[in-house]
Amino acid sequence: MKKNTYVLLSLLVLASMVLAACGAATPAMTEAPATEVAMTEAPACAPAGTEPVAFPDGGKSVTGAFDQEPDSIVPYFSQMSFAIWVTQLTLVGLAEWDDQSAFVPELAAEIPSTENGGVSADGLTITWKLKDCLFWSDGTPLTSKDVKFTWEAVMDPGNAPASRTGYDKIASVETPDDLTVVIKFAELYPPWQTLFTQGPNNGGAIIPEHILGGQTALETNDFIRMPTVGSGPFVLTEWIPGDYMTMLPNPNYVGGLAKLDRVQIRFVADSEAAKAALQTGDVDWYPNFSEGDIVALKALEPGVKLTVVAGSDFEHYFFNLGRTEGVDGRGKADNEGFCPFKDINVRHAITIGINRQAIVDSLLSGYTAVPVSQWPNTAWTNTNLEVESYDADKAAALLEEAGYTLGADGIRSGDCNGVETKLSFNFETTTAPIRIEAALAVQSDLAKIGVEFKQIHTPAGTFFGQYVDGGPLTTGNYDLGGYTTGFYPDPYTDNFQCESVPNAEKPDGTNWYHNCDPFLSDLVDSSLATVDIAARKLIIDEVQKYVAENYYVIPMYARGDVFGSTPRFVWGPTGPQSNMNWNAEMWDVTE
Amino acid sequence: MTTDVPTLDSPVFNSAISAKVLTPGQLVWRRFRKHRMAVYGMIGFAFLLVYIIGGALFVTQKTANAVDLQARLSPPSQQYWMGTDSTGRDVFARIIYGGQVSLVVGALAVIIQVTLGVLIGGIAAYYGGWVDAILMRFTESMLSIPQLFLLIVLGKFIGKEIDSIMIFGRAISGSIIIVIFVVGFTSWMVLARIIRANVLSLKELDYVSVSRSLGASNTRIFFRHLIPNTMGIIIVSTTLGLAGAILSEAYVSFLGLGIQPPTASWGNMLTSAQSFISQGSWWMWIFPSLFIVFTILTINLIGDGLRDAFDPRSNRHI
Amino acid sequence: MWSYLARRSAQAFFTLLIITVLCFLLTRFSGDPIAQYAANPRMSAEDKAALRERLGLNQPLPVQYFKWLGLAAQGDLGNSFFAKQPVTKLIFQRLPNTMALMFVTEFFTIIAALILGIISAVKQYSLLDNVITTFSFIGFSMPIFFSALGLLLIFAVQFKEWGLPYLPTGAAVWDKKDPVQYIYNMILPVTALVFVQSAGYSRFVRTSMLEVLGSDYIRTARAKGLTTRAVLFKHALRNAALPLVTIVGLDIPFFLGGAIVTESIFSWPGMGRLFWEYAQRSDYPVVLGILLIISIAVVTFTILTDVLYTFVDPRIKIS
């Protein structure tokens, strides 16, 4: 009796919502899943609707600005940030990271752990439990089968996803029932949390089997480009290329109906156009300002609201160490590197000879900080480390100690491996304005301690060019380098492994520091030998300490995610692993 | 050239020219002098040169490149006449050194442009036949590709490592050389077509056929007869091309593919000003922009005067 | 006549071939499309190699070229590397917007140029002529980003701040079904372009007007007692306007691909922006496709103007 009332009630609610929406779907169509679920044991559940909720007259709407148009929204087929941001609004994964960088369930009922039996003793099996009563926006149930299908679609040789990283380590995905997913790995995969989970730095949303099942060549599929059925707080309903896209609330979203009645995204040329549009109120937010825009945005307050979130990405400068002797054939670099950099005193002097705090205070208006290590602002950061502050006198003393004395031209030189060498080197990076400004400051700081720092700014396509094209990073044709790296959302470690040093035989190597330190390399390897997060954290802490003590990289400044918005647009807490999009259902406007 | 203005206006000079038959050069100068706008252009350009060359005597390049993060984005004041940029460098000083670079880039790019234009246009017209066909199809092809695209594509080579070069004892980013070539290689086509048309008509003139029948070599005919007779066109194109080249440098830099820091150019000063445009830091972009507009304006005025002066039909001023 | 057309077409075909080779080489050496994933640890080396293979980037250059040419000859410009959509589709989505901007700008430019040019030719050396000349020189000397940014700042940003009626930045949500909004959005970019464009054109009109006005047959017409107005509009204008056709033709590449700066500043969804976005990512098929379309347009237009000339101006004979 009670059960029937429930079904009746839910049908009533459903019918009214459908009518309110657009009346396109007949109630008969939606009856099926509702009764079906009701008949199988478990608590009765029905989808709240089968269509996105239509935009009512005078409804609440916001418009965002993107300066690049997403290529395809389903993340396995795109590596574009703008695409992943739309995915966050429209498709969800099993879990996500919140604004505090905590790993929290989304479609899943709980996070697998050794305690709850989700992670097997050998670490090779991960079991996820889904929440009850999950539905796609079209009213079809969302089950463990969709998770399995997602894996199959990524691995299907008939499809061409942008990346299979991680998914190719899975031996099988089993679905004992609609709510249980058992993932068996072929080998230990410590960053398993990045698979089937969705965040701004990794795309792992679950895709619908009932729409894509049985198809191949998904990379050209219209649904992959524009998924009109989703599982996120909003559903993509309209996309005029070069112009705008529209999203309407998903009645069946696991986190409840969104507060806003519509979200639109307008494609603008660049951040300048976005800034102008924010000022006139044509758009409500723009998520892709650079740190260089902070001052300009601050000047626009209160008409434009500025939000800066210290990111887990950071700008780092790094020494090309080149060929290392006595490492038993491990990590043979093709290039010699810049000889003086092999002396730790020189690396130390350059690190503390740069006034990094001044760069953060001026160019970033003090919004972020000098990172303590290569994984700042995350749960993985070694919080015991401290930033060594700027000390030009000490830097000069260290260089004297290393045997580099001031010449008549104000540049130090000294003996390095029997060759008289000037402390004058090239610094290579890309053309981003903030890099140019920071490099100018560094140049003037280092000139004060007798070091000549010559900057070369290359377009990213050349700077990151592949080995055969003579890309400076891959071939090691640079002295000091600089770019932004970080955390994705697992510590990214293969740039410290000896075996990843690129050379003619191994042009794809990712150790662009050309730095083979066997101790560090082995330490990093050991962090990849367990899936236990706590155990890994201890090793990762050690790695950060070792890198800092050896001055292998100079953490320059933590990057900031810079948002501009109109004061009417209210959005929730934001963190580097969550972005502003992780709880879009809470977005609202104040009039 | 600019310092000649008062001398040539002196009575001595005027009586001298009225006394005897004028050489073509004097005729041109006389016509030019009567072109009021052109003379204003010339005076304006002279002031500009005084600022960017003379200014260097008072402001060192070190000052122009001195970074002071404390003073970043200061508005114009007694200390910084044109304010400071986003790393606290003095805009007034940078305009001096940026102007030198922009003008040098413009001048050298024009030399490349004119050389290519004259050679390709001249050779095509002189030899005719399949040489002409191939060269002209190539010219047409280059003309059909938007110059900005050529600049973008070629600009990507700018990052290639070229060591700083020393000019007048000063270190200047090696990327300048690439910008010069990029601008030069993307702008010769129109001149080549004009030269070709001109040489084609000259070729039929009697004295060319006579010197050929007298056994003059091709090279001699080409450089002794044909090129000097197109000098008027070449000079005018060079002047207008200079304006175009300075603009091109600004465009390449505006798109972020220009001259590498810390060397200043008016174009790359604008690039760094870009993100500060919609807020208060107007001085960062207004001053370089005004200098660009002013320079191009004066050069165009001079070019216009020269065109009228070289055109024998436009004897309206005399 | 027909043999002339045939010869011109053969030449045009040859020119187009050279253009494709040039563009192909230039784009290939301008950057690596895969490089944008270089610092992205989500893409492993195997992923990148697979992508390279899939995009056909590991084949020898001549093979890539002829493959592309063969398909292009059949009207297939390939798929964009990143948008994964047919290049023709991407281009034709943007083409109408660029054409709209181009025709409206060209229309106002020619009108402005004719008015200014005729006034300053007829009133040669008057104060008005000098004022027009000065302004046209300033316009001619002005980089488009200066006029565009200036207009944007004044009419979109400052006007709003001052509480005046302001124009959209170009980023306003617009509805294709709402032509008024579309026109509204067009005001600023068109003004910026017309200001810069008409400056050069008006100088041109002035010069050719002066030339025509000084020629014998105008003198004859005047001597026959025709009014100044009749002389001006029936004879002089027609002959002076003719050379404008050539200049307009030469401006086509600028409009179809080169309005990059204008379209970027005003977020105009046209071909220039498409080009700039994809050139930055080294998306060869899109870049090549746009260039090919521009070249075909330019080459065709050149032939058309030449033929047009022979009809309009009896003095020119086709040889």
Side-chain angles (χ1 to χ4, degrees):
Chain A
M1 182 66 201
K2 219 174 169 191
K3 211 179 241 176
N4 282 342
T5 340
Y6 188 91
V7 172
L8 204 71
L9 238 156
S10 62
L11 273 173
L12 264 173
V13 171
L14 166 72
S16 61
M17 284 194 89
V18 167
L19 284 174
C22 52
T26 62
M29 270 172 69
T30 54
E31 219 171 328
T35 39
E36 201 178 72
V37 176
M39 285 193 297
T40 57
E41 30 93 48
C45 44
T50 59
E51 294 264 345
V53 184
F55 184 63
D57 275 341
K60 295 190 280 189
S61 174
V62 296
T63 306
F66 278 11
D67 57 341
Q68 276 178 47
E69 195 161 343
D71 40 11
S72 61
I73 301 304
V74 172
Y76 305 98
F77 296 89
S78 170
Q79 291 287 345
M80 203 176 173
S81 302
F82 294 90
I84 292 181
W85 294 339
V86 178
T87 313
Q88 278 187 286
L89 300 179
T90 54
L91 290 166
V92 295
L94 297 176
E96 65 181 343
W97 286 266
D98 69 9
D99 58 298
Q100 299 298 318
S101 296
F103 193 49
V104 294
E106 194 159 29
L107 291 176
E110 58 180 357
I111 302 294
S113 67
T114 328
E115 293 76 50
N116 66 18
V119 179
S120 67
D122 63 358
L124 288 172
T125 307
I126 309 288
T127 307
W128 288 91
K129 285 273 184 197
L130 298 187
K131 288 191 176 112
D132 282 334
C133 294
L134 296 174
F135 293 96
W136 292 98
S137 64
D138 64 354
T140 313
L142 194 165
T143 68
S144 57
K145 303 247 177 12
D146 290 306
V147 181
K148 183 179 165 76
F149 170 72
T150 302
W151 173 66
E152 287 167 348
V154 171
M155 292 313 294
D156 190 331
N159 296 333
S163 169
R164 294 190 166 109
T165 305
Y167 296 95
D168 53 358
K169 301 286 191 297
I170 296 174
S172 70
V173 176
E174 285 158 23
T175 53
D177 62 63
D178 276 359
L179 300 180
T180 312
V181 185
V182 182
I183 299 168
K184 288 208 161 75
F185 283 91
E187 58 183 89
L188 218 50
Y189 191 66
W192 58 269
Q193 290 184 331
T194 62
L195 304 180
F196 306 110
T197 57
Q198 180 69 48
N201 298 320
N202 72 311
I206 304 305
I207 54 178
E209 180 179 23
H210 69 284
I211 291 176
L212 295 167
Q215 300 185 53
T216 50
L218 291 184
E219 63 278 6
T220 56
N221 192 295
D222 281 343
F223 184 87
I224 295 293
R225 195 180 80 80
M226 180 184 167
T228 46
V229 170
S231 56
F234 293 94
V235 185
L236 193 54
T237 54
E238 185 188 21
W239 183 349
I240 312 287
D243 210 348
Y244 68 93
M245 56 170 61
T246 305
M247 286 169 266
L248 296 175
N250 171 5
N252 303 326
Y253 175 55
V254 59
L257 191 66
K259 289 183 180 169
L260 286 177
D261 297 307
R262 185 175 72 187
V263 173
Q264 287 188 313
I265 296 198
R266 165 141 298 280
F267 307 119
V268 301
D270 52 28
S271 58
E272 267 319 302
K275 209 184 289 167
L278 271 174
Q279 280 173 273
T280 56
D282 288 341
V283 301
D284 293 295
W285 93 92
Y286 174 72
N288 200 37
F289 282 114
S290 68
E291 296 91 339
D293 294 318
I294 291 176
V295 177
L297 287 166
K298 245 168 89 173
L300 298 178
E301 281 180 324
V304 172
K305 194 175 127 209
L306 164 70
T307 308
V308 183
V309 178
S312 51
D313 287 359
F314 74 109
E315 179 79 2
H316 71 324
Y317 288 3
F318 44 90
F319 301 98
N320 179 4
L321 291 173
R323 195 172 293 138
T324 320
E325 302 304 329
V327 288
D328 308 326
R330 288 181 70 177
K332 188 170 70 68
D334 286 343
N335 66 88
E336 293 293 343
F338 184 58
C339 178
F341 288 166
K342 300 194 184 193
D343 184 340
I344 185 172
N345 281 331
V346 173
R347 300 200 297 268
H348 188 177
I350 290 172
T351 307
I352 61 169
I354 299 172
N355 193 347
R356 293 175 284 170
Q357 193 57 47
I359 292 175
V360 169
D361 288 343
S362 56
L363 301 184
L364 295 146
S365 302
Y367 276 100
T368 72
V370 179
V372 292
S373 79
Q374 63 271 38
W375 296 299
N377 302 328
T378 70
W380 297 86
T381 312
N382 182 341
T383 46
N384 296 323
L385 293 177
E386 270 175 36
V387 176
E388 199 170 344
S389 52
Y390 173 61
D391 190 340
D393 296 335
K394 190 175 169 196
L398 280 166
L399 291 175
E400 288 287 339
E401 194 184 315
Y404 294 92
T405 48
L406 276 174
D409 55 357
I411 302 168
R412 288 175 189 274
S413 69
D415 177 89
C416 189
N417 271 347
V419 183
E420 183 72 11
T421 312
K422 248 191 179 182
L423 278 186
S424 164
F425 52 83
N426 285 339
F427 166 70
E428 302 216 20
T429 189
T430 71
T431 51
I434 186 152
R435 296 216 165 100
I436 295 178
E437 291 175 358
L440 285 166
V442 171
Q443 189 171 41
S444 107
D445 284 345
L446 290 181
K448 288 176 197 147
I449 57 168
V451 173
E452 189 183 31
F453 169 100
K454 295 180 290 187
Q455 41 178 317
I456 296 174
H457 297 273
T458 320
T462 316
F463 181 66
F464 293 111
Q466 46 173 345
Y467 191 93
V468 290
D469 295 339
L473 279 183
T474 44
T475 57
N477 185 19
Y478 70 94
D479 300 327
L480 190 73
Y483 66 91
T484 289
T485 185
F487 178 91
Y488 286 92
D490 200 79
Y492 171 46
T493 46
D494 57 349
N495 47 2
F496 289 109
Q497 288 166 314
C498 281
E499 286 66 29
S500 311
V501 172
N503 54 35
E505 289 97 61
K506 204 173 179 217
D508 287 332
T510 48
N511 183 340
W512 294 333
Y513 310 146
H514 300 261
N515 175 7
C516 174
D517 179 330
F519 177 80
L520 179 60
S521 184
D522 292 344
L523 195 61
V524 164
D525 282 342
S526 68
S527 81
L528 299 172
T530 171
V531 295
D532 185 81
I533 303 292
R536 285 183 72 205
K537 169 78 167 82
L538 288 177
I539 306 170
I540 294 290
D541 275 352
E542 198 54 41
V543 171
Q544 293 170 68
K545 186 161 166 265
Y546 187 83
V547 170
E549 281 170 354
N550 283 282
Y551 302 100
Y552 281 144
V553 303
I554 311 175
M556 291 294 296
Y557 47 88
R559 298 300 297 255
D561 296 332
V562 185
F563 304 87
S565 56
T566 51
R568 68 186 276 269
F569 179 33
V570 184
W571 35 286
T574 298
Q577 299 306 316
S578 69
N579 199 319
M580 63 180 285
N581 302 319
W582 73 289
N583 57 356
E585 67 277 12
M586 305 302 286
W587 290 359
D588 208 345
V589 288
T590 56
E591 293 303 346
Chain B
M1 202 168 174
T2 49
T3 49
D4 287 350
V5 177
T7 341
L8 289 169
D9 275 334
S10 66
V12 184
F13 185 82
N14 279 333
S15 59
I17 43 173
S18 51
K20 57 174 186 185
V21 178
L22 298 176
T23 65
Q26 283 167 325
L27 258 175
V28 165
W29 171 241
R30 202 190 156 119
R31 279 198 294 256
F32 180 82
R33 209 158 42 97
K34 289 278 169 84
H35 196 296
R36 229 178 334 147
M37 301 280 276
V39 174
Y40 290 150
M42 202 127 162
I43 295 170
F45 193 67
F47 275 118
L48 192 89
L49 288 181
V50 168
Y51 176 53
I52 65 170
I53 296 174
L57 299 175
F58 300 97
V59 184
T60 61
Q61 195 187 20
K62 219 171 162 189
T63 316
N65 287 343
V67 171
D68 179 5
L69 291 180
Q70 305 303 317
R72 70 194 295 254
L73 304 175
S74 323
S77 64
Q78 288 238 285
Q79 193 188 355
Y80 303 109
W81 293 351
M82 295 183 187
T84 61
D85 70 3
S86 55
T87 47
R89 293 174 294 181
D90 186 0
V91 173
F92 180 80
R94 288 184 74 69
I95 285 193
I96 294 174
Y97 287 91
Q100 293 181 2
V101 168
S102 290
L103 284 184
V104 166
V105 166
L108 295 180
V110 159
I111 292 176
I112 293 178
Q113 169 192 344
V114 170
T115 314
L116 280 174
V118 168
L119 280 181
I120 292 179
I123 289 173
Y126 189 75
Y127 289 96
W130 62 269
V131 176
D132 182 29
I134 287 182
L135 286 178
M136 281 303 109
R137 293 301 83 72
F138 180 65
T139 309
E140 273 167 32
S141 314
M142 292 285 287
L143 261 182
S144 325
I145 307 174
Q147 195 199 7
L148 207 51
F149 165 71
L150 289 174
L151 289 174
I152 289 170
V153 174
L154 291 172
K156 295 210 171 182
F157 293 100
I158 282 173
K160 291 269 184 308
E161 258 178 75
I162 289 195
D163 274 336
S164 297
I165 43 168
M166 302 297 279
I167 299 179
F168 307 127
R170 276 196 264 123
I172 288 180
S173 159
S175 56
I176 286 184
I177 298 177
I178 296 171
V179 173
I180 291 169
F181 276 96
V182 167
V183 173
F185 281 133
T186 53
S187 54
W188 52 269
M189 292 83 76
V190 174
L191 180 62
R193 298 229 298 202
I194 298 175
I195 295 280
R196 174 176 174 272
N198 220 273
V199 171
L200 272 183
S201 61
L202 284 174
K203 216 168 80 169
E204 304 310 320
L205 295 180
D206 290 343
Y207 74 98
V208 176
S209 350
V210 169
S211 53
R212 186 175 295 145
S213 61
L214 287 175
S217 72
N218 279 340
T219 331
R220 190 182 158 79
I221 295 173
F222 193 75
F223 285 105
R224 288 300 293 264
H225 298 298
L226 297 181
I227 297 305
N229 277 298
T230 50
M231 223 41 192
I233 296 172
I234 294 176
I235 290 175
V236 173
S237 302
T238 308
T239 321
L240 298 176
L242 180 60
I246 292 173
L247 262 188
S248 295
E249 190 274 322
Y251 275 115
V252 183
S253 295
F254 187 76
L255 295 172
L257 302 167
I259 286 158
Q260 299 264 311
T263 303
S265 82
W266 290 342
N268 73 12
M269 291 178 74
L270 278 177
T271 323
S272 55
Q274 252 192 98
S275 49
F276 298 94
I277 282 174
S278 58
Q279 62 134 334
S281 310
W282 50 270
W283 58 89
M284 272 179 76
W285 68 284
I286 284 281
F287 290 117
S289 298
L290 283 180
F291 272 89
I292 292 175
V293 174
F294 184 72
T295 309
I296 293 167
L297 179 63
T298 54
I299 296 174
N300 279 337
L301 289 174
I302 297 172
D304 197 54
L306 284 174
R307 179 168 32 211
D308 285 355
F310 273 109
D311 187 351
R313 281 175 304 169
S314 76
N315 53 0
R316 54 181 196 236
H317 294 298
I318 297 179
Chain C
M1 176 75 198
W2 289 114
S3 72
Y4 170 79
L5 261 185
R7 210 181 66 223
R8 283 306 307 261
S9 306
Q11 279 180 355
F13 180 73
F14 193 58
T15 309
L16 278 176
L17 267 186
I18 297 181
I19 293 175
T20 57
V21 175
L22 271 178
C23 292
F24 191 84
L25 289 176
L26 283 174
T27 43
R28 288 305 134 125
F29 290 115
S30 70
D32 179 11
I34 311 294
Q36 62 173 316
Y37 300 126
N40 178 350
R42 278 171 272 155
M43 295 273 287
S44 65
E46 297 88 65
D47 289 333
K48 283 179 228 164
L51 184 59
R52 202 174 286 284
E53 165 108 40
R54 203 158 61 237
L55 300 179
L57 293 172
N58 47 2
Q59 290 166 325
L61 274 187
V63 175
Q64 290 185 43
Y65 172 72
F66 284 109
K67 259 191 175 163
W68 175 81
L69 192 66
L71 285 172
Q74 300 163 36
D76 177 4
L77 294 174
N79 280 340
S80 154
F81 289 168
F82 301 105
K84 297 173 195 87
Q85 296 187 72
V87 172
T88 39
K89 193 172 150 195
L90 287 175
I91 291 177
F92 286 109
Q93 277 163 358
R94 303 292 188 95
L95 201 56
N97 290 325
T98 294
M99 298 287 251
L101 192 63
M102 172 170 146
F103 281 121
V104 174
T105 304
E106 229 22 82
F107 178 75
F108 284 109
T109 302
I110 290 174
I111 299 226
L114 285 176
I115 294 175
L116 294 176
I118 291 172
I119 291 178
S120 50
V122 174
K123 309 255 179 209
Q124 201 184 0
Y125 303 131
S126 68
L127 180 70
L128 197 57
D129 178 29
N130 280 334
V131 170
I132 292 175
T133 305
T134 310
F135 272 98
S136 67
F137 266 108
I138 292 176
F140 188 63
S141 308
M142 190 171 282
I144 182 81
F145 52 75
F146 188 72
S147 66
L149 284 171
L151 285 172
L152 191 72
L153 269 183
I154 296 170
F155 292 103
V157 178
Q158 289 298 335
F159 265 46
K160 192 189 180 195
E161 218 158 88
W162 296 332
L164 295 168
Y166 59 95
L167 287 164
T169 54
V173 175
W174 79 53
D175 186 354
K176 287 271 165 46
K177 285 163 249 153
D178 183 359
V180 177
Q181 185 64 35
Y182 195 80
I183 291 168
Y184 207 49
N185 280 310
M186 224 185 219
I187 296 176
L188 283 182
V190 167
T191 314
L193 282 168
V194 169
F195 185 66
V196 172
Q197 286 283 101
S198 61
Y201 283 22
S202 71
R203 292 299 295 164
F204 198 80
V205 172
R206 179 181 181 271
T207 313
S208 46
M209 268 308 267
L210 282 177
E211 219 161 84
V212 175
L213 285 175
S215 65
D216 293 343
Y217 75 98
I218 295 290
R219 286 201 196 118
T220 315
R222 260 191 227 264
K224 271 165 54 187
L226 285 176
T227 62
T228 317
R229 184 178 299 241
V231 171
L232 208 59
F233 289 100
K234 281 194 78 173
H235 301 278
L237 181 58
R238 211 170 64 191
N239 288 299
L242 196 60
L244 256 189
V245 177
T246 319
I247 306 211
V248 173
L250 279 175
D251 266 345
I252 285 196
F254 169 77
F255 264 112
L256 288 179
I260 295 172
V261 175
T262 324
E263 288 187 359
S264 295
I265 290 174
F266 294 105
S267 321
W268 189 259
M271 294 241 296
R273 245 180 86 199
L274 184 75
F275 182 84
W276 178 227
E277 273 168 29
Y278 285 80
Q280 279 176 314
R281 291 195 270 170
S282 302
D283 196 329
Y284 306 146
V286 180
V287 170
L288 277 173
I290 294 176
L291 287 173
L292 187 71
I293 289 196
I294 293 172
S295 325
I296 291 176
V298 175
V299 170
T300 318
F301 205 86
T302 315
I303 299 181
L304 278 181
T305 42
D306 285 359
V307 174
L308 197 71
Y309 260 56
T310 61
F311 283 115
V312 185
D313 191 340
R315 285 176 301 179
I316 299 172
K317 275 206 204 84
I318 291 172
S319 51

